[in-house]
Each structure stands twice: as structure tokens, then as C-alpha cells.
Amino acid sequence: QYNGVYVWIMPVWGFQGLLIATIMSLIMGHVICHVHRKELEAAAGGPSEVEGPRQAVCQMRDVPLWRKVLPPVALGVACALYCVSMFLDTYSFIFGGAFKALAGGSASYSVMETAERVPSTTVNPKDLAIIWIQWIFMVFCFGMVVLEQVLLFCLWVVPL
């Protein structure tokens, strides 16, 4: 029973939420760009340069209300799911063998907990390199994701 060290990493709900939100965001990005391109082509009578006043994608043609509302709602849901999933347990370590006796069986962490724990895992937590890693981790795990949702929303509602 104690003749080895075993660690299993298990994704939990926070990880699934991040994946779902990422897939939703990627799909909505493609949908918004596709609709934008098709609306411009329809206004010009074909795939050519469009002249005239600028309009937001959501206001270009007479389409059903649900088609105008679905993209921003989906972006909002994806953004909310990202924000919530950051604080939910994202992964769990399950320890076995000799390591189970030392580590206590299992441990779970969220993305935010991982970011907060980065300095405590080093010899010099106030080192500029560690602070830089922690900052970059937070920018790309949280800030860029929310910024992408905001930019996709702007692409949908702002006249371009």
C-alpha cells in the first residue's frame, strides 16, 4: 500500500465551467464575425467594398429579435461563467501510496487560489520575477478573458 507515490489530478466543476465559457466565447466570436461579414455583403449586393453610413451588426437588417439578443446574452453568460469559475475549485489532487500519508488524501484549488499561492511556493516571495509571474497569470487567466467578452460585445453593438 505504501510502496509508491501516486498523484492523480482531477478536473472539477470550475474547470468544466471554464471550458464551457471558452467554447461559448469562441463560437460567439465566429458567429459575430460571420454575421458582420454577411450583413456587409448583403448591403453591398455582393462581396465588395461597402459605402454609406456605419451600423452596428445588431441593427443591420430586419431580423427576429432573438437573433439580435442571443449574441450579447451568450457573451454575458460566458463572462459570468468565467468569473464564477475562477473562484470554484478547478482541479483536485488525489494522493495515493506513501504520499497519501504525508499529504492527507486530497487537495482542491481554484484559479484564484493558485494565483494567490504562487508567492508562498518560493524561497523569496517578494522577488520581482515571482510577482511578475503572478501578475501575468492573473492578466491572462482573468483580465484577457473578460476583455475579450467586452470587445466581442462592442463588435456586436457599436457601429463599425
Side-chain angles (χ1 to χ4, degrees):
Q1 179 179 350
Y2 294 104
N3 57 357
V5 174
Y6 305 100
V7 178
W8 294 275
I9 301 172
M10 305 294 292
V12 291
W13 170 244
F15 182 76
Q16 306 303 333
L18 289 171
L19 282 179
I20 292 167
T22 300
I23 291 167
M24 286 177 65
S25 176
L26 290 171
I27 290 170
M28 291 316 304
H30 288 289
V31 166
I32 290 170
C33 289
H34 173 76
V35 169
H36 190 259
R37 184 174 343 125
K38 290 299 179 186
E39 292 294 335
L40 288 175
E41 288 175 1
S48 63
E49 200 60 37
V50 177
E51 307 239 351
R54 296 178 179 188
Q55 290 182 318
V57 178
C58 65
Q59 298 172 339
M60 284 193 162
R61 277 198 315 185
D62 187 27
V63 295
L65 181 62
W66 70 269
R67 285 185 59 192
K68 291 182 179 184
V69 173
L70 182 64
V73 167
L75 289 173
V77 168
C79 192
L81 195 52
Y82 272 125
C83 293
V84 168
S85 296
M86 290 290 170
F87 296 96
L88 295 176
D89 285 344
T90 306
Y91 55 94
S92 293
F93 292 109
I94 301 172
F95 307 111
F99 204 52
K100 183 176 182 178
L102 296 171
S106 67
S108 296
Y109 301 99
S110 70
V111 172
M112 295 302 274
E113 285 176 311
T114 302
E116 290 172 359
R117 291 177 184 247
V118 167
S120 66
T121 62
T122 66
V123 177
N124 185 4
K126 296 191 189 270
D127 185 22
L128 183 60
I130 299 304
I131 294 169
W132 174 249
I133 289 171
Q134 185 182 28
W135 187 81
I136 291 296
F137 180 81
M138 289 303 298
V139 164
F140 282 95
C141 284
F142 189 70
M144 295 301 285
V145 171
V146 173
L147 179 62
E148 179 198 18
Q149 303 304 306
V150 170
L151 291 176
L152 285 173
F153 181 77
C154 288
L155 180 61
W156 187 251
V157 298
V158 174
L160 299 175

